[in-house]
Each structure stands twice: as C-alpha cells, then as structure tokens.
C-alpha cells in the first residue's frame, strides 16, 4: 500500500516539477534571509544583478503550489531550504532548468552554499505567504 501512495505522490510532484524547465536564470545579492523552524526552509530577498525575465509572479494554476522564486521591481525572492553558510551580502545564482542554485564567497562558488530548488507546497507555502516582501 505504501508503494502505491509514494508512486502516486511522485507522479503528482513530477507534474509540477516539469514547470521548472522555463530557462530562468537569476543573479543577485542577498539583502535579507528569513528562516523558518521547518528544516531551515526560508525566504531569501535578492537585489538583482541580472535575470532573463523582468517580472515573474511565481504563481501556478493551482492555489496550493508555487514556484520557488518570484521576480519583481529589480528584486527577487527565493523560497528554499537555506544553506547554513549563506549570509546577507552573498552573491547567488539560480538555474531553474537545473533545479539548483549557487552561493558565492566573493567571486568563488562555495560548495557549502549550493542548494536545490523545487516547487513549493504544504506548510512551506504558508510560510512564504506570511514572509514575502514582494507582494
């Protein structure tokens, strides 16, 4: 029975995960980090250095799942489990198609600041709604 449930939930997750194949690249400097008590999940506010989209709402056709990023007015937010070493002032690059991001120590990529991105739902979604700066 557990295998059937896991298989079904994996199919549902994969249906949404494919939306990350949207060629979005975000480069920015960390302005603020808000971290929850839910496995280090949080909201990172970035001042954009560059991106290939001027605006991105982060919404989907469902009310219970969103993208792990939003872009608005020269800023971006990331909704991710925050790497322990990531700090205010760090540079970050996100590659949606690869489902990953990279934090930097100066101009050098930091292994400790690497993170994954995935579609956001459940308890994490409520945290994003309560802690977003990009309304």
């Amino acid at each position: 029975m557990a295998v059937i449930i896991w298989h079904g939930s994996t199919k549902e997750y994969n249906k949404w995960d494919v939306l990350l194949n949207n060629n979005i690249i975000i480069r920015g400097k960390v302005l603020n980090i808000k971290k929850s008590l839910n496995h280090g999940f949080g909201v990172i506010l970035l001042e954009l250095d560059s991106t290939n989209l001027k605006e991105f709402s982060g919404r989907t056709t469902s009310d219970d799942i969103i993208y792990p990023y939003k872009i608005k007015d020269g800023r971006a937010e990331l909704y991710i489990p925050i790497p322990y070493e990531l700090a205010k002032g760090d540079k970050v690059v996100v590659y949606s198609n690869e489902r990953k991001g990279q934090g930097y120590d100066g101009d050098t990529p930091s292994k400790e600041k690497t993170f994954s991105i995935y579609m956001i739902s459940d308890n994490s979604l409520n945290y994003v709604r309560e802690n977003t700066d990009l309304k």
Side-chain angles (χ1 to χ4, degrees), residues 91-103:
K91 292 180 183 177
V92 172
V93 179
V94 174
Y95 304 96
S96 65
N97 288 13
E98 297 175 29
R99 284 139 183 88
K100 71 175 189 174
Q102 179 67 61

Side-chain angles (χ1 to χ4, degrees), residues 33-38 41-43 79 82 120-132:
I33 298 174
K34 297 176 186 175
K35 193 183 257 187
S36 74
L37 300 176
N38 181 12
F41 180 85
V43 177
Y79 316 124
I82 298 171
I120 305 302
S121 62
D122 301 326
N123 292 338
S124 298
L125 182 60
N126 290 331
Y127 186 81
V128 168
R129 288 179 178 150
E130 293 168 6
N131 290 279
T132 183

